[in-house]
Amino acid sequence: MAGSTGDLTVEATAAASEVARASEVYQKILKVEPTSLVLDFSRGFGREGRQAKGVGDLVQVARETGAGRCGPDGSYEWVGRDTLRIDYDPSTYECLGVAIEDGRTNLFPNSALESDIFSSGTPVSYEEGPYPEHGRFFRISASTGYAAPALSLELAANTTYAFSVVSDMDDPLSLCLSGEAGGFRVANVVPFAGGMFRHTVVVYSPSIHPADVRISGASGQLVGWVQVEEGGFPTSYIPTEDSPGYRAPDQVSLSVPAAAAEAGTVRLLARSFGDGLRPIVSLHSQSGNVLVQLGQTLTAQYVGRELSASVEVADPSSMAPRVFSYSASSLMVASSAEYSEVDTFTSSVFQILQLEPTLCGHVSCIELFLSQVEPDRLMGLA
């Protein structure tokens, strides 16, 4: 279906003049053709040819479930299926762009705490959470810690899990999946939407074994939104009630203009979250894909053929531009001022540019040029 942008329905008239000025820079200073397509997710505008459009008019969004985000005022929001998740920094309210996440399952079957599942040496006090529609929290009052033995999880062998909870305080909680070596671990704490904080530990399970969730922290701390998921970092919160809950992957795609079907350049502003991985960008054709993986190494590879180009990425968490260009004879990728070229590339007509949900990150802006441009010429553009 056509992309829905939630609250991001920004008129593009002012943005159009920005794009016009950028096009002048491309032509007069860089001596390259102006962009054919602009998607600036962080500022809410787009352009196709000379026509200004909203980003929701240019993209197709597919996600089979709803998903959470931080809204423009810093509050937690749940957006419906097939909706762009324009995400914001919970501390600065800066727009981070569109969130792209892989599919994840919250294995903890009652994150909303609709029943009294945690126990301790003293009675557990449950309270209405900061967002009542998303379940209850409980208040820490005992120093012995809290456990949910009735909700034992089955951990798989040779698997890494991210165990996270949300609290109203940034005093680090100690978290434990019972049965793991080392027991309780002090959580890593980062700001979360709604003035809350997310506490996370990463646990490796060497063998199949049952484990229950255990939490310990300072008296008075409000705790909720328990999440246990496979992977080395936590993703956006997945609410559950009576069984594990699944959040489907984000899929965002747009049609490639005919003028850029056989040769062009894509400039992408993106940053990672989690373990330094980024979304994958792909150009789809009927006979195969060009995949560009933006991780510790920026790699372009033509699927189905032994052809790839790669370059090291100095800081995957920065918003520095990444560029790849393609034609019937070559494929180039670039990060910072470094770039790599493969010149035995034979392309077919490309039809779709897609943000793949294999990895996790934020995409701020995409620009598609009508011709193949040496990537290092574009690296310094803001």
Side-chain angles (χ1 to χ4, degrees), residues 22 25 59 83 92 97 135 158 163-164 166 252 309 322 342 348 356 368:
V25 171
V59 298
T83 302
T92 66
N158 302 315
F163 169 23
S164 62
V166 170
V252 180
R322 313 290 185 246
V342 175
S348 56
E356 297 282 357
L368 177 60

Side-chain angles (χ1 to χ4, degrees), residues 98-372:
V98 60
I100 305 292
E101 291 186 301
D102 57 1
R104 290 284 184 98
T105 297
N106 183 359
L107 301 173
F108 191 77
N110 192 344
S111 67
L113 304 184
E114 296 299 341
S115 58
D116 298 348
I117 57 176
F118 278 93
S119 60
S120 181
T122 60
V124 178
S125 172
Y126 290 89
E127 303 180 16
E128 188 176 84
Y131 297 90
E133 67 274 23
H134 297 296
R136 301 186 303 170
F137 278 47
F138 70 87
R139 182 79 64 180
I140 291 179
S141 60
S143 60
T144 55
Y146 295 78
L151 294 180
S152 182
L153 309 178
E154 184 80 7
L155 301 188
N158 302 315
T159 304
T160 299
Y161 294 90
F163 169 23
S164 62
V165 299
V166 170
S167 172
D168 64 339
M169 298 169 61
D170 60 358
D171 290 346
L173 293 164
S174 293
L175 306 177
C176 173
L177 290 176
S178 66
E180 65 166 299
F184 278 99
R185 302 184 188 189
V186 177
N188 177 59
V189 183
V190 297
F192 192 74
M196 300 185 290
F197 298 89
R198 198 171 200 185
H199 300 242
T200 303
V201 296
V202 176
V203 176
Y204 175 73
S205 172
S207 60
I208 299 174
H209 67 275
D212 60 83
V213 167
R214 300 184 181 184
I215 301 170
S216 178
S219 179
Q221 230 166 332
L222 197 64
V223 178
W225 292 6
V226 180
Q227 183 153 309
V228 179
E229 58 191 305
E230 289 189 18
F233 58 94
T235 58
S236 60
Y237 170 61
I238 305 168
T240 65
E241 293 181 357
D242 298 314
S243 61
Y246 177 66
R247 184 200 58 247
D250 297 279
Q251 296 179 327
V252 180
S253 60
L254 57 139
S255 297
V256 173
E262 296 184 3
T265 302
V266 176
R267 181 174 179 268
L268 177 75
L269 293 178
R271 75 176 78 187
S272 67
F273 57 81
D275 60 358
L277 301 177
R278 295 176 180 272
I280 285 180
V281 177
S282 64
L283 279 170
H284 288 244
S285 68
Q286 292 181 340
S287 59
N289 307 334
V290 172
L291 295 179
V292 179
Q293 181 169 331
L294 303 169
Q296 296 289 347
T297 301
L298 175 66
T299 302
Q301 182 174 21
Y302 195 84
V303 174
R305 306 182 187 184
E306 294 183 1
L307 176 65
S308 66
S310 64
V311 63
E312 292 299 311
V313 175
D315 183 7
S317 65
S318 74
M319 193 59 86
R322 313 290 185 246
V323 177
F324 71 97
S325 62
Y326 58 93
S327 72
S329 60
S330 67
L331 176 68
M332 294 182 283
V333 298
S335 171
S336 300
E338 302 294 327
Y339 76 97
S340 174
E341 180 174 358
V342 175
D343 55 349
T344 57
F345 179 67
T346 302
S347 72
S348 56
V349 175
F350 294 112
Q351 299 168 319
I352 297 174
L353 178 65
Q354 181 159 321
L355 302 177
E356 297 282 357
T358 309
L359 307 177
C360 300
H362 290 106
V363 176
S364 173
C365 185
I366 299 174
E367 295 175 305
L368 177 60
F369 292 80
L370 296 177
S371 59
Q372 188 180 39

